[in-house]
Amino acid sequence: MHLITAYNHLAKHRAYITSRTRPTDTSRTHMSRAPTGRSVKGTACINCRQRKIRCDGKRPVCGSCSASLPSACRYSDGSASVDQRLQEEIAILETRLHQLENPNDTSRTLTLHATTSSTSPPPHAPLNISLNMRQALFRSFLPYSFEFGFFLDYSLSSSLSSSSSSDQLFPSILSACQLLGAYLSPVNELSALQSAFLSQALFDVSAGLSRDPTQLARSIVHCVQAEIFLAQYFFVNGRTLEGKYRISNAVSMVLGAGFHKIRSADAYVFQGRAGMHSLPPSVHPGEEGERINALWQVLIMNACWTAADSSSSNIAYDVPESRIDTPWPLDSGSYSQASFPESIQSSHTIQSFLSNIPDNGRSFLAIHAKAAILFERTSLLHHQYRPNMNLADATRFQQTFNNLNSAINNMAAILPPLSDHTLSRSTIRRLLIIHTLCRVASILLHGIFEQRDPTSLGQVITAAESVVMLFRSVNLTDFPFIDPIMGHLWMTTANVFIKEIRLHFATRMPRRLPLNEMRDSVEFIMATMQIFAPKSSFIERQLMHARQSYMTSISTQ
């Protein structure tokens, strides 16, 4: 039952494919009824030619490849279309879910492509880059790996140079690291390779699950990590739909593997259900920690980006099968030093947090997850408000409002200040996102009543001012990359001041802040966005909206 979310995603993608490929004229209808025997000479796919087997020439995936590895099917008349890539991803995801539900069935396993493998090569020529170039790519990426969502329980730099097979990263992660290194690189020759690296990374992640059952658990964790890296790349480049698709894949994997029920006090209830026991138990704390961190990192990105566009979450927190019982995470690298007795169990982790029950979730990853949850929940409540609710609904709404307000205040009290000079640059960058998420959650929550309640309006303005002060206190030259969700958070903050400026001119009445301070705040936010806009299409788009709104507000004076 807890895989319902994953199957819903598959249904949506199938519907999308159907709507795009439905015949609309006589010629297309005729093509769809073509016989399915041996293909006309020259129309066989590249994979079947290389394997010297019969190919029926079906598009987007021929029959032979569909039965083995759909992602290997390519035709020489061009690269894969968007529809073909989606078809492949659907087939891969279906196979992943089937494998998780039926771990003893080897009929639908996937092949992991590696450079040392004897399996058929990728459908495009692998990039032939020098060792020095590869090292330069990793040097560009490694300092910012945590900002891109790195969660594995060991040093990424050590893994890249390790000769041990148990420590080496899977090709999907290596390809994604090279892609992000090219994105961050100041060298034009490396930056220009992003398209080629993206193609390789997409192939590697689609073929990322190992055929070896003993490697299944590790390959799932690595695939989740690669999906997160790819999602961040798509988000920062304004390709939001593709980013959300990668996150939906990651959500399906962590729920399908039962990562949300690790150490669940109610685990016995789910015995025998799909996915709950599809993976062997963790053999050491680090392996268990990676599964825990995979869940929470996926949840962070899912919460932020579904809240940003007010779409439905991929995780139903209140449904027993998908409810998060897993304990709050530790930071990467901490599990080998921490002691987790087998007797420790947890349940209703998110519900307890939202009910303001004290917990031990104090790691950076834990407080980031909490801030993302508050942002998501306040965004949802903001859109659920109706002025004429009945008494029962109004009572429940007010209780939820009060709980969220208390949770936000409690979070603000425990967040480490950015003024701590002992903090590393990487830690400051992570904390800045967490602080901003909490303050924007307050803006959304109190924005529900700001037009009728002066106290709520004061809370909204105070939170927006706090965001501005946060960014005035840091050196933005230390930020060659910033989480693209900041584009949405900045836009939300700027809108607070823009709305007040508009009301100032519309009513000709003094507002809580002087006009010059409000204008200065908006212009500072836009100047901050301008720093990151050249490297992020998403932030550039948000900046454009902010400028338009601001110019409209001041043109009415």
Side-chain angles (χ1 to χ4, degrees), residues 398-409:
Q398 189 63 49
Q399 182 61 49
T400 303
F401 180 97
N402 292 339
N403 285 342
L404 285 171
N405 190 47
S406 296
I408 292 171
N409 292 334

Side-chain angles (χ1 to χ4, degrees), residues 328 353 359 361-362 365-375 411:
W328 293 108
F353 164 63
D359 58 53
R362 296 297 182 94
L365 185 57
I367 60 177
H368 194 171
K370 290 179 178 181
I373 292 166
L374 291 174
F375 173 52
M411 273 288 293

Side-chain angles (χ1 to χ4, degrees), residues 8-225:
N8 285 341
H9 292 318
L10 290 175
K12 290 179 182 178
H13 291 304
R14 290 195 193 99
Y16 175 74
I17 290 293
T18 301
S19 67
R20 287 177 61 91
T21 58
R22 186 180 293 114
T24 56
D25 55 46
T26 305
S27 61
R28 291 185 182 183
T29 304
H30 176 73
M31 289 175 64
S32 67
R33 294 176 180 173
T36 59
R38 187 182 182 95
S39 62
V40 178
K41 184 176 181 180
T43 63
C45 76
I46 295 173
N47 187 42
C48 288
R49 290 183 196 176
Q50 291 173 337
R51 296 164 63 192
K52 297 182 179 180
I53 61 175
R54 177 170 296 184
C55 179
D56 57 23
K58 278 188 176 181
R59 307 283 181 117
V61 181
C62 74
S64 298
C65 293
S66 178
S68 56
L69 185 60
S71 63
C73 191
R74 293 291 190 282
Y75 289 87
S76 59
D77 55 356
S79 59
S81 66
V82 172
D83 291 346
Q84 182 173 347
R85 288 196 297 268
L86 288 174
Q87 287 274 22
E88 294 168 358
E89 293 291 349
I90 289 171
I92 293 292
L93 189 54
E94 285 177 328
T95 305
R96 287 173 177 166
L97 294 173
H98 177 85
Q99 190 174 36
L100 292 173
E101 295 174 353
N102 305 275
N104 296 323
D105 183 0
T106 60
S107 63
R108 295 180 63 183
T109 55
L110 296 171
T111 302
L112 171 67
H113 170 72
T115 55
T116 57
S117 172
S118 60
T119 60
S120 58
H124 51 79
L127 293 173
N128 185 17
I129 61 175
S130 67
L131 177 60
N132 288 340
M133 186 180 293
R134 182 172 287 109
Q135 290 174 340
L137 291 169
F138 289 132
R139 280 196 302 270
S140 296
F141 171 65
L142 288 178
Y144 310 101
S145 58
F146 287 108
E147 283 95 305
F148 278 95
F150 180 71
F151 63 76
L152 297 178
D153 193 49
Y154 46 80
S155 168
L156 185 55
S157 57
S158 299
S159 301
L160 293 172
S161 59
S162 175
S163 59
S164 170
S165 59
S166 62
D167 292 335
Q168 288 180 343
L169 298 172
F170 278 32
S172 55
I173 296 183
L174 293 174
S175 299
C177 287
Q178 291 181 155
L179 168 65
L180 296 175
Y183 163 74
L184 291 168
S185 177
V187 181
N188 291 335
E189 290 79 4
L190 294 180
S191 181
L193 294 174
Q194 289 181 60
S195 178
F197 284 133
L198 176 59
S199 178
Q200 182 69 54
L202 290 173
F203 172 79
D204 286 338
V205 76
S206 69
L209 290 185
S210 173
R211 205 185 276 272
D212 181 358
T214 63
Q215 288 288 306
L216 178 60
R218 187 164 176 258
S219 64
I220 288 175
V221 170
H222 282 229
C223 275
V224 171
Q225 180 69 88

Side-chain angles (χ1 to χ4, degrees), residues 452-501:
R452 294 173 296 280
D453 182 0
T455 302
S456 284
L457 176 59
Q459 294 275 15
V460 168
I461 294 175
T462 298
E465 287 183 299
S466 296
V467 173
V468 173
M469 287 189 290
L470 280 172
F471 281 87
R472 289 188 189 277
S473 69
V474 297
N475 181 6
L476 294 177
T477 60
D478 288 339
F479 290 69
F481 167 81
I482 196 166
D483 191 326
I485 196 62
M486 282 302 308
H488 177 79
L489 302 181
W490 280 322
M491 183 67 196
T492 302
T493 305
N495 279 339
V496 172
F497 300 109
I498 292 172
K499 186 186 300 181
E500 285 294 292
I501 293 172

Side-chain angles (χ1 to χ4, degrees), residues 242-499:
E242 292 167 279
K244 294 189 69 173
Y245 177 65
R246 310 318 305 191
I247 291 303
S248 72
N249 284 352
V251 168
S252 298
M253 282 189 278
V254 295
L255 295 186
F259 290 176
H260 61 307
K261 297 297 180 184
I262 294 174
R263 293 180 174 264
S264 172
D266 298 329
Y268 70 93
V269 175
F270 301 97
Q271 289 180 2
R273 300 190 185 184
M276 288 295 95
H277 295 287
S278 56
L279 294 180
S282 303
V283 297
H284 56 80
E287 184 177 7
E288 182 182 51
E290 286 183 343
R291 299 181 186 185
I292 293 172
N293 287 10
L295 168 75
W296 289 107
Q297 186 61 56
V298 169
L299 183 143
I300 288 170
M301 297 189 67
N302 176 73
C304 287
W305 288 97
T306 55
D309 64 3
S310 304
S311 58
S312 300
S313 175
N314 295 308
I315 305 174
Y317 301 141
D318 298 326
V319 176
E321 287 78 10
S322 57
R323 185 188 70 222
I324 309 298
D325 287 347
T326 302
W328 293 108
L330 301 178
D331 290 318
S332 296
S334 300
Y335 287 94
S336 57
Q337 289 83 33
S339 175
F340 285 103
E342 289 297 326
S343 59
I344 293 181
Q345 295 180 315
S346 63
S347 182
H348 297 77
T349 308
I350 293 176
Q351 288 88 340
S352 297
F353 164 63
L354 295 176
S355 298
N356 295 291
I357 298 174
D359 58 53
N360 60 353
R362 296 297 182 94
S363 68
F364 287 117
L365 185 57
I367 60 177
H368 194 171
K370 290 179 178 181
I373 292 166
L374 291 174
F375 173 52
E376 178 191 34
R377 294 293 95 182
T378 53
S379 176
L380 178 62
L381 194 69
H382 186 96
H383 290 92
Q384 286 179 340
Y385 176 72
R386 299 293 180 270
N388 299 315
M389 289 186 286
N390 60 45
L391 180 60
D393 289 342
T395 301
R396 283 193 294 269
F397 186 94
Q398 189 63 49
Q399 182 61 49
T400 303
F401 180 97
N402 292 339
N403 285 342
L404 285 171
N405 190 47
S406 296
I408 292 171
N409 292 334
N410 292 340
M411 273 288 293
I414 68 169
L415 289 180
L418 295 177
S419 58
D420 186 349
H421 298 294
T422 64
L423 299 176
S424 67
R425 292 181 178 181
S426 177
T427 299
I428 290 175
R429 292 194 295 265
R430 295 176 69 184
L431 276 176
L432 191 60
I433 306 298
I434 297 169
H435 275 275
T436 307
L437 282 168
C438 287
R439 285 159 174 78
V440 172
S442 185
I443 290 173
L444 294 174
L445 183 66
H446 289 280
I448 298 171
F449 300 118
E450 65 177 341
Q451 295 181 4
R452 294 173 296 280
D453 182 0
T455 302
S456 284
L457 176 59
Q459 294 275 15
V460 168
I461 294 175
T462 298
E465 287 183 299
S466 296
V467 173
V468 173
M469 287 189 290
L470 280 172
F471 281 87
R472 289 188 189 277
S473 69
V474 297
N475 181 6
L476 294 177
T477 60
D478 288 339
F479 290 69
F481 167 81
I482 196 166
D483 191 326
I485 196 62
M486 282 302 308
H488 177 79
L489 302 181
W490 280 322
M491 183 67 196
T492 302
T493 305
N495 279 339
V496 172
F497 300 109
I498 292 172
K499 186 186 300 181

Side-chain angles (χ1 to χ4, degrees), residues 461 464 490-506 511 513 515 517-523 525-526 529 542-556:
I461 294 175
W490 280 322
M491 183 67 196
T492 302
T493 305
N495 279 339
V496 172
F497 300 109
I498 292 172
K499 186 186 300 181
E500 285 294 292
I501 293 172
R502 188 179 294 117
L503 288 172
H504 170 86
F505 292 120
R511 305 303 297 175
L513 294 176
L515 177 61
E517 288 187 19
M518 293 188 290
R519 295 183 61 165
D520 183 61
S521 293
V522 176
E523 291 168 7
I525 292 172
M526 292 192 300
M529 297 172 77
Q542 299 300 303
L543 173 59
M544 181 182 67
H545 293 325
R547 283 174 173 162
Q548 290 174 345
S549 297
Y550 179 54
M551 295 306 297
T552 300
S553 71
I554 63 177
S555 65
T556 58

